[in-house]
Amino acid sequence: MGSWARPFTVAVPDADIELLRKKLELATFPDELQGAGWDYGAPLADIKRLTTYWKDSFDWRKSEKAINELPQFTTDIEVDGFGSLNIHFVHQKSKVENAIPLLFVHGWPGHFLEVRKLLPILTSESPDHPSFHVVAPSLPGFGFSEAPNKPGFGGFQYAEVVNKLMLSLGYDEYVYQGGDLGHVVGVYATNAYGNKHIKAWHTNMPFYRAPTLFSNPLLFLEMLTTPFNTRMQEQFAAAKRFRTKGMGYFVLQATKPQTLGYSLADSPVGLLAWIYEKLHKAVDKYPWTENEVLEWISVYWFSRAGPAAPQHMYYGLTHGNEHDLFEGTRWTSTPLGVGFFPGEPVRLPKSWVHMIGKVLFESEHDAGGHFAAFEQPARLAGDLQKMFGKGGPVYGIVPGKDGYV
């Protein structure tokens, strides 16, 4: 570890914890329609129960102590046109000297703790699978990273941050894993740094823009067969359900994040409801405990830039929803692996993944959802071990670092 990286310890002031408790005590709850269930959003009974637990039973100091067992650091990253940003990251090194450098990038409404369950699996040493040096940053505005302070911070800027972080650690060549916004950043990063620095990557949320007659005529023609293709009908039905029932957050965060931000920054109950609805809906029957939910939400509440900052990422990626998430990107030859998890709500025809990159590895899982690293860490880690291990399609892709003892 270079001298530029400073060890980091989470240490929330007592006054901030007390202020949170007072806000929870003063919470005012809305009415709820009879029998509404989850149709209108997070149920009142669930939010009241979690609010009470957060106020009376949840022990942030216990969570903080556990978080601080992770090897955390901060460093300054210079971003072209935006100055320097202080970036927080976890850097868990394997004892295997030639372990594969892996950049893990979280999404929303996640954060750096998504990587926690993966760390002991990926850094373990064995003659049967490769080992990894794992770097998991908090994206700008998330967790304990500084947020950009002017408009225009988009996909290529997020990619610049994470790539410069890896280079500064001495990892000139590395591999990448991400889902949700981590996937989106991965698309930009491989467009900018693929093959040269990012030797291969894996996504557990493989989506991209729809094919057109000119961009991908074969996939476009396949789309026209939907009325006669049961499989395509099922895949489009799933996509339609998410577009019509699950995209409200996206439109609001991509167009008016500042307006939304007043509620999230001032009301811990508002923040809880906004994120908890996604934690519940996007998993594959994962049995969240109260402590898991509230630790997750508390990282947002106590974050460096505040709980409103992460929502700005959607505006920056889409320029206020004027274009899709992938503006300025195209197919790349960087080797790509994809993992399909049944509970992932963002589901498009599987053939479309070939528009993202050079697909060399695919896996179909029978359990797991949007937060695959948290819900099914062994399955996601298994994908990486198979993809980069002996006999895998990209074994030895990082020169001199195959991950074996």
Side-chain angles (χ1 to χ4, degrees):
M1 184 71 64
S3 59
W4 58 270
R6 296 171 291 278
F8 178 83
T9 300
V10 181
V12 175
D14 290 337
D16 291 356
I17 298 174
E18 183 58 28
L19 178 60
L20 169 61
R21 186 172 290 110
K22 288 180 179 178
K23 284 178 173 287
L24 293 171
E25 288 175 352
L26 296 172
T28 300
F29 297 92
D31 294 332
E32 182 180 59
L33 299 179
Q34 293 182 6
W38 282 92
D39 291 345
Y40 285 71
L44 180 60
D46 285 36
I47 299 304
K48 282 188 171 181
R49 171 178 56 82
L50 287 166
T51 298
T52 299
Y53 192 91
W54 203 359
K55 175 173 63 74
D56 297 333
S57 303
F58 177 68
D59 186 349
W60 168 253
R61 290 301 185 207
K62 182 178 179 181
S63 283
E64 189 178 70
K65 182 179 179 181
I67 292 171
N68 284 331
E69 292 176 1
L70 300 173
Q72 300 171 81
F73 304 87
T74 59
T75 190
D76 295 326
I77 300 292
E78 192 73 25
V79 186
D80 292 345
F82 291 86
S84 179
L85 292 177
N86 189 250
I87 300 299
H88 164 262
F89 63 99
V90 172
H91 186 194
Q92 182 71 67
K93 298 196 73 173
S94 167
K95 292 181 180 179
V96 177
E97 185 177 349
N98 62 333
I100 305 166
L102 169 67
L103 172 62
F104 174 93
V105 181
H106 67 80
W108 182 92
H111 42 58
F112 71 99
L113 287 183
E114 286 185 58
V115 80
R116 181 158 59 181
K117 295 180 182 180
L118 287 174
L119 293 177
I121 308 173
L122 292 176
T123 59
S124 64
E125 52 184 300
S126 169
D128 300 323
H129 60 71
S131 186
F132 299 83
H133 297 313
V134 183
V135 179
S138 294
L139 288 169
F142 287 76
F144 303 104
S145 284
E146 192 175 4
N149 61 6
K150 60 182 180 180
F153 202 93
F156 285 112
Q157 284 71 43
Y158 286 100
E160 181 182 351
V161 168
V162 297
N163 182 66
K164 283 184 173 178
L165 173 62
M166 293 299 281
L167 298 184
S168 67
L169 285 166
Y171 299 136
D172 290 344
E173 296 174 304
Y174 59 93
V175 300
Y176 182 109
Q177 203 288 322
D180 191 75
L181 290 180
H183 164 80
V184 176
V185 173
V187 171
Y188 282 95
T190 51
N191 267 256
Y193 313 109
N195 294 316
K196 180 180 180 181
H197 295 302
I198 302 176
K199 309 305 288 185
W201 70 300
H202 179 278
T203 174
N204 55 283
M205 188 176 140
F207 77 107
Y208 199 57
R209 56 171 68 100
T212 67
L213 180 60
F214 298 104
S215 69
N216 206 303
L218 291 179
L219 291 178
F220 180 79
L221 292 174
E222 179 191 43
M223 189 167 57
L224 298 181
T225 69
T226 300
F228 316 101
N229 188 323
T230 302
R231 176 178 56 83
M232 290 287 286
Q233 289 175 12
E234 293 172 349
Q235 292 169 341
F236 277 120
K240 181 180 179 181
R241 282 194 300 272
F242 179 74
R243 188 174 66 252
T244 57
K245 296 289 187 179
M247 285 286 286
Y249 80 95
F250 181 97
V251 175
L252 187 53
Q253 293 185 163
T255 57
K256 295 295 182 286
Q258 185 69 24
T259 302
L260 173 64
Y262 296 110
S263 298
L264 301 183
D266 185 63
S267 171
V269 174
L271 176 69
L272 168 63
W274 188 248
I275 293 180
Y276 176 64
E277 191 262 339
K278 295 304 175 190
L279 297 184
H280 174 84
K281 286 287 190 178
V283 297
D284 183 28
K285 304 181 182 69
Y286 181 78
W288 290 100
T289 67
E290 283 87 352
N291 283 323
E292 285 177 331
V293 170
L294 295 170
E295 179 182 71
W296 198 285
I297 306 299
S298 294
V299 170
Y300 272 87
W301 183 258
F302 294 129
S303 63
R304 178 173 182 171
Q311 283 63 239
H312 289 229
M313 186 171 182
Y314 285 84
Y315 193 105
L317 288 168
T318 65
H319 199 245
N321 212 24
E322 290 186 3
H323 53 69
D324 64 35
L325 285 165
F326 303 105
E327 183 77 2
T329 68
R330 58 186 180 84
W331 182 92
T332 76
S333 61
T334 308
L336 170 64
V338 296
F340 296 101
F341 289 84
E344 171 56 61
V346 182
R347 295 161 58 193
L348 295 170
K350 292 178 181 178
S351 58
W352 290 13
V353 303
H354 295 276
M355 294 189 296
I356 304 170
K358 185 179 178 181
V359 180
L360 297 181
F361 176 89
E362 293 185 56
S363 65
E364 185 84 35
H365 297 280
D366 58 9
H370 189 69
F371 303 99
F374 195 82
E375 299 174 63
Q376 297 291 338
R379 294 171 189 266
L380 184 59
D383 273 8
L384 297 173
Q385 290 168 342
K386 293 173 186 174
M387 180 176 172
F388 295 101
K390 293 177 180 178
V394 290
Y395 169 66
I397 192 75
V398 179
K401 297 177 180 178
D402 70 353
Y404 287 87
V405 180

